[in-house]
Amino acid sequence: QVQLVQSGGGLVQAGGSLRLSCATSKRTFSSRAMGWFRQAPGKKREFVAAISDIGGKTYYADSVKGRFTISRDNAKNAVGLQMNSLKPEDTAVYSCAVLADSDYEVGEYWGQGTQVTVSS
């Protein structure tokens, strides 16, 4: 059973910053790529960012490139998402995921989701 436990999120004004974190087991963390997705009200879930298990190569959606940073914390077996210069359109439920080996924009196991709200 793969478990992902998220923390962080909340309410922030436009231009502000928030950080999300997602912890899992050492076995999962060390062997799988991980990523973040988000779903805004009335919209489909969309890919946000991914980080590979080997080498820590990162990938971003165009909408967050240059503002968001995904990272791995090996000591905590956790993946983080630092979100800067937040915009109201970033408002969504953010979920971390263990990614499919064949496609980093597909999640196989999911965290519980956390609300991020950016006020204008």
Side-chain angles (χ1 to χ4, degrees):
Q1 183 80 5
V2 176
Q3 289 190 324
L4 303 172
V5 179
Q6 295 180 220
S7 59
L11 173 65
V12 67
Q13 288 188 331
S17 298
L18 284 173
R19 180 173 177 81
L20 305 179
S21 184
C22 175
T24 188
S25 69
K26 183 175 182 178
R27 178 178 180 178
T28 298
F29 180 79
S30 62
S31 63
R32 301 295 298 271
M34 297 183 70
W36 292 91
F37 296 74
R38 66 185 182 187
Q39 186 168 19
K43 295 188 177 181
K44 293 195 304 183
R45 184 163 58 196
E46 64 174 356
F47 167 80
V48 174
I51 187 165
S52 66
D53 52 334
I54 299 174
K57 190 171 182 180
T58 57
Y59 308 83
Y60 297 95
D62 288 342
S63 58
V64 306
K65 205 170 291 183
R67 300 188 297 122
F68 290 12
T69 302
I70 189 171
S71 61
R72 298 176 76 98
D73 185 335
N74 294 328
K76 297 181 179 179
N77 298 321
V79 60
L81 185 68
Q82 178 66 40
M83 304 182 291
N84 298 329
S85 302
L86 282 161
K87 305 175 182 179
E89 51 263 44
D90 294 318
T91 295
V93 174
Y94 284 71
S95 298
C96 68
V98 174
L99 304 178
D101 291 333
S102 59
D103 187 342
Y104 280 5
E105 295 192 18
V106 174
E108 287 193 350
Y109 303 97
W110 296 91
Q112 77 272 25
T114 187
Q115 179 69 45
V116 170
T117 302
V118 184
S119 62
S120 57

